[in-house]
Amino acid sequence: MSSVATQSLFSRFLNSPAGPKTIHFWAPTMKWGLVIAGLGDLQKPADQLSLSQNLSLGVTGLIWTRYGFVIIPKNYMVAAVNFSVFLTGMAQVGRII
């Protein structure tokens, strides 16, 4: 691939409606911290975890996953991070139960 095509692809990413010049990029980028924290909690004993907290993370993750697909422009990064929040929350709920 030539550097012009790569630059064009990068320029399209940079200037896209959900690109790094917008909050639509940075908010889900920072939300990956919740996923990392949830994965870190896999090392904790299940009796030290909060059922209500992890259940609410799972439910809100599912709600916001749908939101990522219905907003304009569609934001797949929002959907991906929130689906990951849903998965980690539900994994913890499963461990707690």
Side-chain angles (χ1 to χ4, degrees), residues 34 41 49-58 60 89 93:
L34 286 176
D41 283 348
L49 301 174
S50 167
L51 178 63
S52 59
Q53 179 181 354
N54 284 288
L55 190 59
S56 64
L57 278 172
T60 58
V93 167

Side-chain angles (χ1 to χ4, degrees), residues 55-77:
L55 190 59
S56 64
L57 278 172
V59 171
T60 58
L62 198 58
I63 291 168
W64 286 99
T65 297
R66 183 180 184 287
Y67 175 79
F69 291 114
V70 298
I71 59 171
I72 298 173
K74 287 184 170 109
N75 195 326
Y76 298 108
M77 191 162 169

